[in-house]
Amino acid sequence: MPAIIILPDTSTRTVKEVREEYMNDCMKGGLVTPPVPWVKIGNVYLSLFETGDESWPPIVKEITGGDKTSSAQFIVMSGRHGAPVQNQAPDFQFVGVKDEGHIGEDQNRIAKVKKEYKNLGIDVLDVTKQEYNSPLNIKTEIKKQLNGGKIVILAWCFSIFALKTAKGDMTQQGSPANLAYYANYQKRICDIVKEDWSSWVPQ
């Protein structure tokens, strides 16, 4: 079993297909938390479904080739939850995504990674702060980090859907958010990338 699964941004598989296959393997005892599948778009890494603080460190090993002297530069965006669709307030801020507990978890995980890779540049960015907490602000910050030479990891669940929003209660059947949730979940990875990412993330 590979340490990590990184799918190409051209994959024609749906998020639903990938997640169900992974969950079936987990139920058979064939997998543990890693390797969670990710999608790579240029130097941006996006999760396809539920993640934990063990989910993203294998990306570091993959990129560095296990070279413990690597000085690669990473930014781990953290501090929130994600889903196939996000609610927004009238001021365009995301609603109900904040979870500061993830910041400490990822900081602790970084400390462990740095024990092995002492030359890495790797930091956590709390994207629940107002200056990052909207689709436009997320895009702006990712561009800034990429322009600064960073490898960007969106370390929360379903982060491939980070720019997708809809109104209403996503648990209420037939609401715009509920319909968007299931429609997005069943989209092909390549289509999500085309809709939200490929036009502005350098390849």
Side-chain angles (χ1 to χ4, degrees):
M1 185 59 61
I4 190 168
I5 298 168
I6 299 177
L7 298 176
D9 58 11
T10 56
S11 174
T12 57
R13 301 182 70 191
T14 68
V15 173
K16 182 176 185 287
E17 289 170 348
V18 175
R19 183 178 181 276
E20 288 182 351
E21 179 182 302
Y22 176 86
M23 292 301 180
N24 286 337
D25 285 343
C26 284
M27 290 180 68
K28 294 174 187 174
L31 295 174
V32 291
T33 301
V36 173
W38 294 77
V39 173
K40 177 183 185 295
I41 310 170
N43 278 328
V44 178
Y45 289 80
L46 306 168
S47 67
L48 290 176
F49 42 86
E50 295 89 346
T51 62
D53 62 309
E54 295 182 10
S55 302
W56 61 261
I59 295 174
V60 173
K61 185 173 182 180
E62 177 74 12
I63 290 172
T64 62
D67 178 3
K68 302 299 175 60
T69 66
S70 173
S71 58
Q73 301 292 307
F74 294 86
I75 191 76
V76 178
M77 294 187 168
S78 180
R80 57 165 288 179
H81 298 290
V85 68
Q86 278 65 228
N87 285 138
Q88 280 184 290
D91 63 356
F92 301 107
Q93 291 281 300
F94 292 123
V95 176
V97 301
K98 187 172 185 178
D99 189 337
E100 293 178 341
H102 290 320
I103 297 295
E105 291 170 355
D106 285 324
Q107 287 173 333
N108 289 338
R109 186 61 56 180
I110 284 174
K112 293 178 181 178
V113 170
K114 288 276 287 181
K115 287 182 180 178
E116 286 190 74
Y117 298 84
K118 300 184 186 303
N119 297 326
L120 284 184
I122 182 166
D123 294 293
V124 172
L125 179 68
D126 181 357
V127 295
T128 63
K129 294 180 180 178
Q130 187 168 359
E131 60 263 40
Y132 312 122
N133 192 39
S134 74
L136 177 59
N137 290 351
I138 285 280
K139 286 175 65 174
T140 300
E141 185 59 27
I142 292 171
K143 289 179 185 178
K144 175 184 172 183
Q145 296 292 342
L146 291 172
N147 289 337
K150 299 291 182 67
I151 297 161
V152 179
I153 301 172
L154 273 64
W156 63 85
C157 303
F158 297 98
S159 61
I160 192 172
F161 300 111
L163 304 180
K164 294 199 176 297
T165 62
K167 295 180 179 179
D169 182 353
M170 65 185 70
T171 65
Q172 182 179 346
Q173 187 172 1
S175 71
N178 177 264
L179 295 173
Y181 184 105
Y182 290 103
N184 291 339
Y185 183 50
Q186 297 182 68
K187 286 183 176 180
R188 301 187 306 171
I189 290 166
C190 60
D191 293 332
I192 302 167
V193 171
K194 184 177 180 180
E195 291 168 3
D196 293 340
W197 303 95
S198 61
S199 65
W200 61 276
V201 176
Q203 297 294 312

